[in-house]
Amino acid sequence: TVGEIDIEYNQLVISTGSIPVIPPIPGLLAANAWTTDKALTSSELPDSLIVIGGGPAGCELAQVYSRFGTKVTIVEPEQRLLLKEEEGISLAFGEMFKAEGIELLCGTSIASVESSGNGEATVVLVDGRKLKANQLLVATGRKPMVEGIGLEILGIRISEQGAIVTDEHCRVKGQDNIWAAGDVAGIAPLVHTANYQARIIAAGLLGEIRSANYDAIPRSVYTYPAVASVGLTYADAIAAGIDAITAKFEIEKTSRNTVDGGTGGLLLLTADRKSRMIIGAAAIGPHSDEWISEAVLAIRAQIPLETLVDLVHAFPTYSESYEEPYRKLHAEL
């Protein structure tokens, strides 16, 4: 119902997006902390900013404000930024941030926040240290927006993770005419995932049954240089019982990096000994969010290393970075 107008439907697609997660830190709400939404729309440029959370959104905004001249500090309870990415990639990423003057406080968390009348906020860490800043930014993740929109009236089940449960066709489980796409489905909550799911749903509405495959959804952190990845990390592969091997390549060895005066970086590939295929890739380097697509295709199409090692890449490009690790993996297999 919209106002006093009742709308009848025979098919419903739910894509209500997500909302920021605000951690229960005493004093945080009173400090008028920004969420990522506010940080992207504010016309204010604080002199100092404390970013709570070292995930993709927190890191992206930390670099943006740092390059605008704000003194930025990131507080992250884990031992490194971008915890879900390959350790070597995230450690290189952290070093890059420190070289830019962004202060990293990893392995610690916030006990409370104190507000003052002069517009400053004081963050009290669990070890007793105190940090002051003109502005706080909460970047501790987002959650599906599924509450208060009447889903219970339709009998839609919500998972323990707070997402709508869907099948491989993006249809809501237990429902014949209701579909869900995007963050509310709780699967790889990225814009391009939502676009992919929308295509699956559109086909289903037209009578064509298609199944979603999430093995090769790329992930990107839009800093400069960018971080990009797809598939499994080496640690995740080992945890899953896969006999995995890895190979890496320093981006500074490419002629394109030399020509561009680039920042260098790292490419790391993970392969499965049994299938002889790439199952994961991660990179930090100029435009890696673009050239990660080669690994996306290799994983999605299940291209064997015997074929990948025979690829020819244009010279000079960053994509040449794949050639040496392909050869290393092929030789080891």
PDB file of all heavy atoms in Angstrom, residues 16 36 66 112 114 130 151 164 218 256:
ATOM      1  N   THR A  16      16.107  -3.821  -1.860  1.00  0.00           N
ATOM      2  CA  THR A  16      16.059  -2.621  -1.021  1.00  0.00           C
ATOM      3  C   THR A  16      17.422  -2.148  -0.543  1.00  0.00           C
ATOM      4  O   THR A  16      17.520  -1.180   0.196  1.00  0.00           O
ATOM      5  CB  THR A  16      15.156  -2.868   0.205  1.00  0.00           C
ATOM      6  OG1 THR A  16      15.535  -4.106   0.823  1.00  0.00           O
ATOM      7  CG2 THR A  16      13.707  -2.944  -0.210  1.00  0.00           C
ATOM      8  N   THR A  36      29.433   6.074   5.974  1.00  0.00           N
ATOM      9  CA  THR A  36      30.028   6.207   4.645  1.00  0.00           C
ATOM     10  C   THR A  36      29.147   7.056   3.732  1.00  0.00           C
ATOM     11  O   THR A  36      29.658   7.786   2.876  1.00  0.00           O
ATOM     12  CB  THR A  36      30.251   4.823   4.020  1.00  0.00           C
ATOM     13  OG1 THR A  36      29.032   4.069   4.079  1.00  0.00           O
ATOM     14  CG2 THR A  36      31.323   4.047   4.772  1.00  0.00           C
ATOM     15  N   SER A  66      42.565  11.874   2.932  1.00  0.00           N
ATOM     16  CA  SER A  66      43.988  12.141   3.119  1.00  0.00           C
ATOM     17  C   SER A  66      44.550  12.964   1.961  1.00  0.00           C
ATOM     18  O   SER A  66      45.325  13.907   2.155  1.00  0.00           O
ATOM     19  CB  SER A  66      44.751  10.821   3.246  1.00  0.00           C
ATOM     20  OG  SER A  66      46.139  11.042   3.335  1.00  0.00           O
ATOM     21  N   SER A 112      35.480   3.508  24.003  1.00  0.00           N
ATOM     22  CA  SER A 112      34.433   4.525  24.134  1.00  0.00           C
ATOM     23  C   SER A 112      34.818   5.756  23.348  1.00  0.00           C
ATOM     24  O   SER A 112      35.957   5.899  22.893  1.00  0.00           O
ATOM     25  CB  SER A 112      34.210   4.887  25.612  1.00  0.00           C
ATOM     26  OG  SER A 112      35.377   5.477  26.167  1.00  0.00           O
ATOM     27  N   GLU A 114      34.380  10.086  23.522  1.00  0.00           N
ATOM     28  CA  GLU A 114      34.010  11.246  24.326  1.00  0.00           C
ATOM     29  C   GLU A 114      33.891  12.458  23.417  1.00  0.00           C
ATOM     30  O   GLU A 114      34.739  12.683  22.553  1.00  0.00           O
ATOM     31  CB  GLU A 114      35.069  11.502  25.408  1.00  0.00           C
ATOM     32  CG  GLU A 114      35.296  10.323  26.346  1.00  0.00           C
ATOM     33  CD  GLU A 114      36.524  10.511  27.221  1.00  0.00           C
ATOM     34  OE1 GLU A 114      37.253  11.518  27.009  1.00  0.00           O
ATOM     35  OE2 GLU A 114      36.772   9.650  28.092  1.00  0.00           O
ATOM     36  N   LYS A 130      44.388   7.649  23.973  1.00  0.00           N
ATOM     37  CA  LYS A 130      43.323   8.539  23.521  1.00  0.00           C
ATOM     38  C   LYS A 130      43.731   9.246  22.233  1.00  0.00           C
ATOM     39  O   LYS A 130      44.868   9.708  22.099  1.00  0.00           O
ATOM     40  CB  LYS A 130      42.987   9.571  24.602  1.00  0.00           C
ATOM     41  CG  LYS A 130      42.376   8.974  25.861  1.00  0.00           C
ATOM     42  CD  LYS A 130      41.925  10.049  26.844  1.00  0.00           C
ATOM     43  CE  LYS A 130      41.216   9.445  28.044  1.00  0.00           C
ATOM     44  NZ  LYS A 130      40.731  10.489  28.988  1.00  0.00           N
ATOM     45  N   LEU A 151       8.069  -7.768   5.073  1.00  0.00           N
ATOM     46  CA  LEU A 151       8.405  -9.080   4.532  1.00  0.00           C
ATOM     47  C   LEU A 151       7.710 -10.199   5.296  1.00  0.00           C
ATOM     48  O   LEU A 151       7.377 -11.251   4.722  1.00  0.00           O
ATOM     49  CB  LEU A 151       9.916  -9.295   4.558  1.00  0.00           C
ATOM     50  CG  LEU A 151      10.758  -8.350   3.697  1.00  0.00           C
ATOM     51  CD1 LEU A 151      12.221  -8.738   3.766  1.00  0.00           C
ATOM     52  CD2 LEU A 151      10.275  -8.363   2.250  1.00  0.00           C
ATOM     53  N   ILE A 164      17.701 -12.139   2.930  1.00  0.00           N
ATOM     54  CA  ILE A 164      16.611 -12.926   2.354  1.00  0.00           C
ATOM     55  C   ILE A 164      17.201 -14.193   1.734  1.00  0.00           C
ATOM     56  O   ILE A 164      18.185 -14.135   0.997  1.00  0.00           O
ATOM     57  CB  ILE A 164      15.850 -12.111   1.287  1.00  0.00           C
ATOM     58  CG1 ILE A 164      15.164 -10.902   1.939  1.00  0.00           C
ATOM     59  CG2 ILE A 164      14.822 -12.980   0.586  1.00  0.00           C
ATOM     60  CD1 ILE A 164      14.508  -9.970   0.931  1.00  0.00           C
ATOM     61  N   PRO A 218      34.172 -10.654  -9.091  1.00  0.00           N
ATOM     62  CA  PRO A 218      35.351  -9.853  -8.742  1.00  0.00           C
ATOM     63  C   PRO A 218      35.076  -8.902  -7.580  1.00  0.00           C
ATOM     64  O   PRO A 218      33.950  -8.434  -7.395  1.00  0.00           O
ATOM     65  CB  PRO A 218      35.638  -9.070 -10.030  1.00  0.00           C
ATOM     66  CG  PRO A 218      34.321  -9.006 -10.732  1.00  0.00           C
ATOM     67  CD  PRO A 218      33.601 -10.273 -10.398  1.00  0.00           C
ATOM     68  N   ARG A 256      55.072  -1.718 -18.841  1.00  0.00           N
ATOM     69  CA  ARG A 256      54.009  -0.718 -18.736  1.00  0.00           C
ATOM     70  C   ARG A 256      54.155   0.087 -17.456  1.00  0.00           C
ATOM     71  O   ARG A 256      53.939   1.311 -17.452  1.00  0.00           O
ATOM     72  CB  ARG A 256      52.630  -1.398 -18.786  1.00  0.00           C
ATOM     73  CG  ARG A 256      51.462  -0.425 -18.695  1.00  0.00           C
ATOM     74  CD  ARG A 256      51.506   0.613 -19.832  1.00  0.00           C
ATOM     75  NE  ARG A 256      50.350   1.473 -19.807  1.00  0.00           N
ATOM     76  CZ  ARG A 256      49.235   1.243 -20.494  1.00  0.00           C
ATOM     77  NH1 ARG A 256      49.127   0.156 -21.247  1.00  0.00           N
ATOM     78  NH2 ARG A 256      48.224   2.079 -20.431  1.00  0.00           N
TER      79      ARG A 256
END
